[in-house]
Amino acid sequence: MKNYDAIVLGAGAAGLMCAAVAGQRGKRVLVIDHAEKAGKKILISGGGRCNFTNTGTAPDRFLSANPHFARSALARYTPADFLGLVERHGIAWHEKTLGQLFCDGSARQIVAMLLDECDKGAVDFAFGRPVGAVDHADGRFRIGDAHAPALVIATGGPSIPKMGASGFAYDLARHFGLKVVEPRPALVPLTLGGDDPFRALAGVATGVVARAGKAAFRGAMLFTHRGLSGPAVLQVSSYWRHGEPIVVDLLPGRDEGWLRDAKRATPRASVGKLLAGAVPQRLGEALTGALGLSGELANLPDAKLAAAERALAEWRFLPSGSEGFAKAEVTVGGISTAELSSQTMEAKKVPGLYVVGEAVDVTGWLGGYNFQWAWASGWAAAQAL
Ligand code: FDA
């Protein structure tokens, strides 16, 4: 039997951070992963450049049944802390937009950095090891021939199963009597029904404000062969519930009465011509057809133009579903925060059991927030191991 201070399950973002920090605090740490190598999701993140944090990180950019849960960890390990680590490793980076920080080079640099930090902490690794049963007796957790008084669940969520993602964290949590908030795919493209005319616009992108419930995001929306995608739609997908519409302002920033004003200024123009100048041509044509407003503006009553303005500002798409975990960037829901200490990530009723990263019911917006949660929660647990 090999004796450790902590066994970390999962060599992803949260598990590597947790193991490195605990190792450097003098703890003997073993990381077990069923994959052959570390950080597979980091490697494909941010289009291969890893959007590793967001300078705008704040608790209100995360979804959770308890919106306050993430506050403590996020305050104690900040984007500046992670950036400091990136800079100490000489990794060049840039800010894209909206506080999103990316590597100039490759996401491989982030994985190499985390493995180097683990090396400094003399962390042991066991790759290609599917975890079967976890025995827990006399205050110790046993997996195969390793045992420790602490076990960290860092196996992530079920998004992108073909990359080795699994619902294992939830199975393990339930095994230990912890509640799981229903997991749903998030940051995921939404689908439209087969007969929806907008599916014919695949490839067209336009700037919008998309809303689901009270959440609203400005950004690009992309029509796909199956429905809707693009940053604004991915963001609202995390808030969207089956059966609800998403409401899209197709011409954000227009003053009320802009169509009526256009009628006064250019009475011979058509709605189609105006839309053609404001959105991509194919979308303009589809909207003109759907609004049923043909002919010159001069011949259209103001009331009809006002109704068209409202329709364009609050276009309702009724998604038939989402593209599911196969295409979801993250998972909303997960191991209930009510079961965990927000200071240490330790399970309240199972001393020595910790949960970090995406496995926890904390989900960030698109834009580097999910990695920041992985770093912060992994760091918080490492202080307590
Ligand atoms: P993560 O999934 O990273 O790691 C879990 C580890 O556990 C994996 O190594 C896996 O092999 C292992 N594991 C799973 N089941 C196991 C089992 N049964 N036994 C043993 N090991 C097991 N976020 C962001 O902030 N910026 C970005 O740019 C992106 N980009 C991005 C792109 C794509 C395509 C995806 C799918 C996701 C992103 N994300 C992102 C989200 C981000 O990747 C995600 O939030 C973190 O990787 C979560 O970190 P974790 O360590 O919790 O899980």
Side-chain angles (χ1 to χ4, degrees):
M1 282 297 232
K2 284 191 198 141
N3 190 9
Y4 288 93
D5 293 316
I7 299 172
V8 176
L9 298 181
L16 290 174
M17 172 60 87
C18 182
V21 174
Q24 290 179 28
R25 293 183 65 243
K27 304 292 171 185
R28 289 160 303 158
V29 182
L30 170 67
V31 179
I32 303 177
D33 200 300
H34 64 180
E36 297 298 334
K37 61 180 183 183
K40 280 167 89 174
K41 271 195 191 163
I42 301 175
L43 292 172
I44 59 159
S45 68
R49 289 222 164 96
C50 187
N51 176 193
F52 54 78
T53 192
N54 193 298
T55 57
T57 296
D60 65 357
R61 277 136 200 241
F62 293 82
L63 292 83
S64 172
N66 175 0
H68 300 294
F69 181 82
R71 198 173 282 274
S72 168
L74 292 173
R76 286 184 297 145
Y77 192 86
T78 65
D81 290 322
F82 192 77
L83 191 56
L85 186 62
V86 165
E87 292 193 327
R88 283 197 295 285
H89 281 259
I91 299 172
W93 58 274
H94 62 278
E95 178 171 342
K96 214 170 171 185
T97 50
L98 306 169
Q100 304 171 69
L101 306 191
F102 285 76
C103 298
D104 286 358
S106 156
R108 283 195 297 273
Q109 295 172 285
I110 298 292
V111 176
M113 174 187 87
L114 292 166
L115 289 175
D116 187 45
E117 290 292 313
C118 283
D119 204 39
K120 284 181 195 153
V123 172
D124 282 348
F125 283 95
F127 286 112
R129 281 259 300 268
V131 179
V134 175
D135 294 325
H136 183 220
D138 307 325
R140 298 192 77 79
F141 298 87
R142 286 185 181 75
I143 298 177
D145 62 355
H147 63 111
L151 180 71
V152 183
I153 303 176
T155 52
S159 47
I160 322 267
K162 71 170 189 227
M163 298 215 46
S166 70
F168 178 73
Y170 312 144
D171 299 340
L172 204 52
R174 289 191 190 99
H175 170 77
F176 284 107
L178 309 187
K179 289 197 190 69
V180 174
V181 176
E182 186 206 353
R184 290 183 288 121
L187 300 182
V188 65
L190 298 174
T191 55
L192 295 172
D195 53 355
D196 195 300
F198 284 98
R199 283 176 52 151
L201 297 181
V204 171
T206 191
V208 302
V209 173
R211 291 188 172 76
K214 288 188 184 137
F217 292 92
R218 190 171 188 143
M221 177 172 84
L222 172 71
F223 292 92
T224 72
H225 290 290
R226 302 190 61 192
L228 302 171
S229 188
V233 171
L234 296 178
Q235 295 280 31
V236 290
S237 74
S238 302
Y239 293 84
W240 175 76
R241 295 278 182 171
H242 268 274
E244 290 175 359
I246 67 160
V247 180
V248 177
D249 184 348
L250 292 162
L251 293 164
R254 298 260 159 168
D255 292 333
E256 202 182 321
W258 67 272
L259 269 178
R260 192 197 51 217
D261 293 347
K263 175 176 159 181
R264 308 278 182 269
T266 52
R268 310 295 300 273
S270 65
V271 170
K273 184 151 183 249
L274 284 180
L275 287 178
V279 294
Q281 190 187 344
R282 282 165 64 203
L283 175 59
E285 287 163 5
L287 293 173
T288 310
L291 288 168
L293 295 180
S294 55
E296 295 177 356
L297 286 168
N299 297 327
L300 295 168
D302 285 359
K304 262 195 164 180
L305 294 178
E309 266 184 31
R310 277 197 302 278
L312 291 166
E314 293 176 11
W315 204 274
R316 293 163 81 83
F317 292 96
L318 191 61
S320 54
S322 80
E323 294 201 25
F325 284 117
K327 291 282 165 65
E329 203 161 288
V330 285
T331 309
V332 160
I335 298 172
S336 171
T337 55
E339 304 282 7
L340 308 174
S341 154
S342 62
Q343 306 288 313
T344 63
M345 307 294 136
E346 188 176 18
K348 292 174 187 166
K349 54 191 175 209
V350 190
L353 181 67
Y354 296 76
V355 190
V356 296
E358 194 179 326
V360 182
D361 171 29
V362 172
T363 309
W365 287 0
L366 187 74
Y369 297 100
N370 285 295
F371 278 139
Q372 188 56 38
W373 168 246
W375 318 135
S377 58
W379 184 92
Q383 306 307 306
L385 291 175

